[in-house]
Amino acid sequence: MRGTATEIAARSGLPNGSVYVTLRTLVARGRVARAGTARGAEYSLVSSGGIRPFKRVKPARPTSAAEMERTDDAALAE
C-alpha cells in the first residue's frame, strides 16, 4: 500500500497534521519509506511485522443532564 499524506488522512479520517507527525515518526523508525514522485511525497509500509491496526474509538459522552452535573470530584480535578 502506498499513498500521499493527504490520501492517508482522507482514508483514516485523521487530521492532516496528525498524519504528517505520525509519518515523520514512522519514517525515522524505519517502519515507513518516503519516496519523491511526480505526485509529491508518497509513503509506503516497509514491514508490517508487529504493527497492530488502529481502532478509532469515540470518547464517551454524558447521556443525561444528571450525568453532566458538576461534582466535587470534577472540581478537584481542575
Side-chain angles (χ1 to χ4, degrees):
M1 178 182 271
R2 149 179 243 165
T4 65
T6 302
E7 291 169 340
I8 294 168
R11 288 182 196 166
S12 67
L14 296 171
N16 282 348
S18 297
V19 170
Y20 279 106
V21 170
T22 302
L23 286 172
R24 187 172 28 240
T25 301
L26 291 171
V27 168
R29 292 181 182 176
R31 302 304 291 239
V32 168
R34 181 181 187 272
T37 68
R39 296 179 352 144
E42 287 189 345
Y43 299 87
S44 60
L45 190 60
V46 172
S47 169
S48 60
I51 295 181
R52 296 179 313 250
F54 175 75
K55 182 178 178 185
R56 198 169 178 150
V57 179
K58 291 184 180 180
R61 295 188 181 178
T63 56
S64 69
E67 289 178 336
M68 293 191 301
E69 287 182 14
R70 186 175 178 87
T71 64
D72 290 335
D73 289 341
L76 290 173
E78 294 177 351

